[in-house]
Amino acid sequence: MSELSDEEAEEEAEPYLGEYDGERNSEGERHGRGKAELPNGDKYEGEYKHGLRDGQGTYRFKTGVYYVGEYLQNKKHGHGTFYYPDGSKYEGSWVDDQKHGYGEYTYPNGDTYAGEWFKDNRHGQGTYTYKDTGSMYVGGWVNGIQEGEAELIHLNHRYRGKFLKGIPVGRGKYIFDVGCEQHGEYIQSEQDKGEEEEEEEEEPVSLAEPKWKAEEITKLILWMPNEEKGTPAADEKDKTQANAVTDESAEHRDDEPSLHEVSSDVFSSKDAEDEEIREGENEGGMYQGTASLEDEEESEEAE
């Protein structure tokens, strides 16, 4: 996220200095609409009240960066858009010169965030979209970091669970578009836990990358609008769906992709094609999920 330079911070310079062309009140203060050029080269055009920027206005820094929006007593306050020097842009709510409330931020690499802000930080509920992959994080944020209940949505699968300091923790599940879910838990290894305890009294460090422990794969229960409850066909289908939990010994049907193939695309290493899905630690999940989207598409086309 872009930070204002010392030069840009000079927006708070004494408003009475510099050249001014505009309306004044009976006391000679800048009041109403006017144009001003500050001693540092910055320019402002907009509304004044009792000598202060107040109301709608446009502030242009001598570097070319500018802000278009509302002011209150010389500070950005209300709705406004700030165009940063690196090409990023924030459009949304401001309070006391800080991003606060709902706003949308576009980053230099094309990523976007749309959601809640608190004192210049992403905080609350929001959606972060990664331009390169099209993946999206939808959920909670705390002081600029992904935290809380959320979904990480990829091209043909998604992860739903809890995040802490930007990484998934605890129980969750992967939902695949082919029609199955993999339930499990993200855990830290014993070694990671030991190192964490030893460093408790030192400066806080980022959490180690957790490992995904798969437990079971289930089918999604699909609603069929042309079948009504109570009919023999619907009752038979309900029974079939209720017993559609697939385990290691389940036979694969020819007319639908095997759960082993679906899971191995995301969670298994390349030499695990001949192994069956088993409970245990499967390294993968969110991290390989984004990187292996093309591989998953090629696998589905081959089927």
Side-chain angles (χ1 to χ4, degrees):
M1 186 182 304
S2 302
E3 298 291 341
L4 291 179
S5 65
D6 294 337
E7 185 178 59
E8 292 168 335
E10 292 180 5
E11 181 184 350
E12 297 306 315
E14 172 56 55
Y16 295 103
L17 300 178
E19 300 180 2
Y20 175 75
D21 179 18
E23 301 174 323
R24 296 179 182 272
N25 59 16
S26 58
E27 298 176 356
E29 298 173 319
R30 299 177 183 183
H31 195 87
R33 292 199 60 83
K35 299 179 181 179
E37 184 171 348
L38 282 68
N40 64 358
D42 294 349
K43 296 179 180 180
Y44 173 77
E45 180 177 354
E47 297 176 309
Y48 284 87
K49 286 184 182 179
H50 300 291
L52 300 177
R53 293 185 294 274
D54 201 305
Q56 190 71 26
T58 299
Y59 191 104
R60 296 182 180 275
F61 299 93
K62 63 181 180 181
T63 59
V65 178
Y66 63 102
Y67 168 81
V68 181
E70 297 176 285
Y71 278 92
L72 179 65
Q73 296 183 349
N74 239 36
K75 294 183 178 181
K76 294 183 287 293
H77 193 98
H79 188 274
T81 304
F82 199 107
Y83 299 85
Y84 292 90
D86 58 5
S88 56
K89 179 184 75 171
Y90 171 80
E91 180 178 1
S93 178
W94 298 79
V95 173
D96 197 23
D97 245 2
Q98 295 179 313
K99 294 180 284 292
H100 193 97
Y102 180 86
E104 300 180 5
Y105 200 109
T106 301
Y107 296 86
N109 64 355
D111 290 357
T112 60
Y113 171 80
E116 297 175 296
W117 296 76
F118 181 80
K119 293 184 177 180
D120 270 344
N121 284 317
R122 299 182 296 261
H123 191 93
Q125 293 294 309
T127 298
Y128 191 102
T129 303
Y130 301 86
K131 181 183 178 182
D132 289 345
T133 62
S135 298
M136 293 189 299
Y137 172 92
V138 183
W141 296 78
V142 176
N143 294 326
I145 301 175
Q146 298 169 346
E147 193 160 314
E149 296 292 335
E151 274 194 333
L152 187 61
I153 305 171
H154 298 300
L155 180 62
N156 51 16
H157 73 282
R158 65 183 63 198
Y159 173 76
R160 184 179 298 166
K162 196 171 186 178
F163 287 74
L164 178 65
K165 296 182 180 179
I167 62 175
V169 294
R171 300 195 58 79
K173 65 179 179 179
Y174 282 87
I175 305 170
F176 298 92
D177 291 353
V178 294
C180 67
E181 300 179 352
Q182 186 179 62
H183 303 258
E185 181 179 9
Y186 271 108
I187 59 175
Q188 286 183 274
S189 66
E190 293 300 325
Q191 180 180 355
D192 293 335
K193 292 179 180 178
E195 291 175 356
E196 192 175 285
E197 291 175 359
E198 292 176 3
E199 296 172 350
E200 278 184 353
E201 298 181 359
E202 300 178 4
E203 294 184 0
V205 295
S206 59
L207 294 176
E209 182 176 315
K211 293 179 174 57
W212 174 251
K213 182 179 180 181
E215 294 179 357
E216 66 173 351
I217 295 179
T218 63
K219 281 192 175 183
L220 296 174
I221 297 179
L222 303 178
W223 175 62
M224 303 299 290
N226 60 340
E227 293 180 1
E228 299 181 359
K229 285 285 184 183
T231 64
D235 293 341
E236 183 63 27
K237 192 169 189 65
D238 288 342
K239 293 178 182 178
T240 303
Q241 291 174 334
N243 296 318
V245 176
T246 305
D247 55 20
E248 297 175 350
S249 62
E251 295 183 358
H252 303 314
R253 294 175 56 185
D254 294 335
D255 59 347
E256 58 184 330
S258 71
L259 298 179
H260 170 69
E261 291 168 346
V262 173
S263 180
S264 63
D265 284 342
V266 183
F267 303 101
S268 303
S269 59
K270 62 181 180 181
D271 60 348
E273 294 179 357
D274 296 328
E275 296 179 4
E276 295 196 354
I277 295 177
R278 57 187 176 79
E279 293 183 0
E281 293 181 349
N282 291 290
E283 295 190 16
M286 178 184 68
Y287 308 102
Q288 285 121 326
T290 303
S292 64
L293 294 181
E294 294 181 358
D295 294 338
E296 291 181 44
E297 291 176 339
E298 292 174 0
S299 176
E300 291 181 5
E301 290 174 358
E303 293 175 2

